[in-house]
């Protein structure tokens, strides 16, 4: 396993994000069910990306973008199905947290969903807690927003 830093234009990241979208469609019952979220999951402005490479292939990813000064929003965290339960999600999140700290951020926020129970367990296990829905997610009751203060 190798962890590398790249950016949102990296084709390996883009490919994993397409796989993430397919996974989300499976979980929630199709793209139609996710229609209101798609506009918030573009790769625009995601300049900090972490990939996990296994046997020369990108198998896990995550990134962040600035939400507001001092706060970075975690985006597009995903591990391919055959590579889950190896701690890759936590490795991605740890690398993103370190990068965010090095860039001067003091808080991380993210949005997930009630149906993504494994993701919520992982985020909670690394210090995130549920907060009131923020920004575009305020009127989306299926959303769960979380934050972690960085020290």
């Amino acid at each position: 396993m190798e962890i590398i830093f790249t950016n949102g234009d990296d084709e390996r990241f883009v490919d994993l994000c397409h796989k993430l979208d397919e996974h989300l469609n499976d979980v929630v019952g199709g793209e139609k069910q996710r229609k209101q979220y798609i506009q918030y999951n573009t790769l625009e402005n995601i300049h900090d990306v972490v990939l996990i490479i296994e046997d020369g292939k990108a198998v896990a990813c995550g990134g962040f973008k600035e939400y507001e000064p001092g706060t970075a929003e975690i985006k597009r965290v995903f591990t391919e199905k055959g590579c889950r339960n190896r701690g890759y999600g936590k490795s991605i999140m740890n690398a993103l947290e370190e990068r965010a700290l090095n860039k001067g951020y003091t808080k991380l926020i993210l949005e997930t969903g009630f149906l993504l129970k494994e993701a919520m367990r992982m985020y909670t296990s690394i210090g995130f807690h549920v907060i009131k829905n923020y920004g575009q997610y305020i009127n989306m009751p299926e959303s769960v927003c979380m934050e972690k203060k960085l020290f």
Side-chain angles (χ1 to χ4, degrees):
M1 174 192 75
E2 177 187 7
I3 296 176
I4 65 165
F5 289 93
T6 186
N7 61 52
D9 295 327
D10 190 308
E11 287 301 316
R12 298 167 296 183
F13 176 60
V14 173
D15 182 55
L16 284 170
C17 287
H18 290 302
K19 291 177 181 179
L20 169 58
D21 290 334
E22 291 170 11
H23 170 71
L24 292 173
N25 287 341
D26 289 343
V27 170
V28 301
E31 190 172 301
K32 184 177 178 184
Q33 300 297 334
R34 293 187 323 105
K35 188 175 184 180
Q36 64 184 343
Y37 294 93
I38 292 171
Q39 63 187 321
Y40 305 121
N41 288 323
T42 67
L43 304 184
E44 220 175 301
N45 298 319
I46 300 177
H47 304 294
D48 293 276
V49 170
V50 176
L51 297 175
I52 291 184
I53 309 297
E54 188 176 89
D55 297 325
K57 182 179 179 242
V59 296
C61 67
F64 69 79
K65 65 181 182 179
E66 184 169 62
Y67 180 75
E68 61 187 23
T71 302
E73 183 179 25
I74 300 293
K75 303 296 288 180
R76 312 308 284 169
V77 176
F78 177 70
T79 301
E80 286 203 47
K81 188 174 183 174
C83 296
R84 294 184 186 150
N85 299 312
R86 297 181 190 174
Y88 289 175
K90 285 183 181 181
S91 294
I92 291 284
M93 292 300 294
N94 288 336
L96 290 172
E97 182 175 330
E98 185 177 325
R99 175 63 58 103
L101 268 169
N102 289 338
K103 289 193 159 204
Y105 292 101
T106 58
K107 182 169 63 172
L108 297 175
I109 59 173
L110 60 85
E111 182 273 340
T112 188
F114 284 109
L115 295 175
L116 301 170
K117 302 225 182 279
E118 289 177 22
M120 287 180 58
R121 273 193 298 276
M122 189 265 297
Y123 294 134
T124 301
S125 77
I126 60 171
F128 279 81
H129 66 275
V130 175
I131 59 171
K132 185 177 176 182
N133 285 7
Y134 61 85
Q136 62 267 27
Y137 306 111
I138 288 174
N139 294 316
M140 295 184 183
E142 303 84 15
S143 288
V144 176
C145 293
M146 304 180 90
E147 82 171 15
K148 180 178 182 178
K149 293 194 168 125
L150 305 177
F151 302 100

